[in-house]
Amino acid sequence: NAGVTQTPKFQVLKTGQSMTLQCAQDMNHEYMSWYRQDPGMGLRLIHYSVGAGITDQGEVPNGYNVSRSTTEDFPLRLLSAAPSQTSVYFCASSSGGVQAFFGQGTRLTVV
Amino acid sequence: AQSVTQLDSHVSVSEGTPVLLRCNYSSSYSPSLFWYVQHPNKGLQLLLKYTSAATLVKGINGFEAEFKKSETSFHLTKPSAHMSDAAEYFCVGAGANNLFFGTGTRLTVIP
């Protein structure tokens, strides 16, 4: 099925651990992005990419890395997890402003 | 700069009464605009989208929205609220290579 596949759905990390959130789309979209959602703050843009090999920072990039080696995949890496990174993370893809597709979200807890 | 502004962070209505969730946009051109709904602990589900065709857009679950260029608005309405409509609603704009989010409106439906 076409869409955005985001994994894992839930994750608990200890402070200082690293992990990668996976995001893949099969719609050949150029634009992919990562957001975090915190209570009362809506969705805030972490990093985005407008095509393979091109990434850029969003509103809250600190503590996160991304890469875009293929059009399909856009993983988000937490380098050294901190409790402030406890959040719900969403991946999205879109093309030409037609429609944005979202992954199901990852609920991350850092203890 | 492109942006969307959701004018109300919280809207409360009685079951069976009309719903109005307000969204204004700012863009140098007519963007694609969307409304998404997020139920508790769920992902974002597309309600409807405007992509420069008909200005009155009908979506799922009885929702509709009207694009008004003169008012730079894209308000979401429903004639009669149902308990299952209680959720967070996001107005989202899409340019050629970016997405821009409103901060969300939490809809409460009172029985």
Side-chain angles (χ1 to χ4, degrees):
Chain A
N1 290 336
V4 178
T5 302
Q6 184 181 336
T7 57
K9 293 185 71 173
F10 301 95
Q11 183 71 50
V12 178
L13 289 178
K14 293 182 178 179
T15 298
Q17 285 185 315
S18 62
M19 78 160 293
T20 299
L21 281 64
Q22 302 291 344
C23 179
Q25 53 92 7
D26 57 3
M27 298 168 283
N28 204 34
H29 286 169
E30 299 95 355
Y31 183 78
M32 297 185 73
S33 48
W34 277 101
Y35 303 85
R36 60 177 289 172
Q37 184 179 30
D38 302 292
M41 303 189 76
L43 278 79
R44 292 184 292 169
L45 180 64
I46 304 172
H47 284 285
Y48 66 96
S49 168
V50 298
I54 306 170
T55 63
D56 208 344
Q57 296 180 349
E59 181 184 355
V60 287
N62 292 340
Y64 307 94
N65 269 359
V66 292
S67 59
R68 186 91 180 270
S69 55
T70 66
T71 299
E72 293 78 20
D73 299 297
F74 190 47
L76 177 73
R77 298 181 186 84
L78 279 71
L79 308 171
S80 177
S84 61
Q85 293 178 304
T86 293
S87 188
V88 180
Y89 292 84
F90 287 97
C91 176
S93 77
S94 65
S95 179
V98 175
Q99 182 175 336
F101 291 82
F102 291 88
Q104 284 299 299
T106 298
R107 187 172 295 275
L108 175 68
T109 303
V110 183
V111 299
Chain B
Q2 300 168 319
S3 66
V4 293
T5 302
Q6 291 183 246
L7 301 176
D8 307 291
S9 59
H10 189 200
V11 170
S12 185
V13 301
S14 297
E15 188 176 18
T17 65
V19 175
L20 170 64
L21 305 183
R22 298 182 295 166
C23 173
N24 287 351
Y25 72 91
S26 173
S27 177
S28 56
Y29 57 91
S30 291
S32 297
L33 294 166
F34 311 89
W35 277 98
Y36 285 83
V37 60
Q38 185 183 30
H39 289 93
N41 301 313
K42 299 292 185 183
L44 285 87
Q45 179 185 14
L46 180 68
L47 276 179
L48 48 81
K49 60 182 178 182
Y50 166 77
T51 55
S52 73
T55 56
L56 182 62
V57 183
K58 294 187 183 298
I60 62 172
N61 300 335
F63 284 95
E64 62 181 39
E66 186 171 6
F67 176 79
K68 292 186 176 180
K69 188 173 182 179
S70 60
E71 299 176 9
T72 61
S73 68
F74 189 57
H75 301 336
L76 181 71
T77 60
K78 183 174 181 178
S80 176
H82 192 273
M83 294 300 296
S84 61
D85 295 328
E88 186 97 18
Y89 291 79
F90 291 95
C91 182
V92 181
N97 279 310
N98 65 319
L99 297 172
F100 37 105
F101 280 82
T103 50
T105 300
R106 179 165 299 279
L107 177 65
T108 299
V109 182
I110 303 167

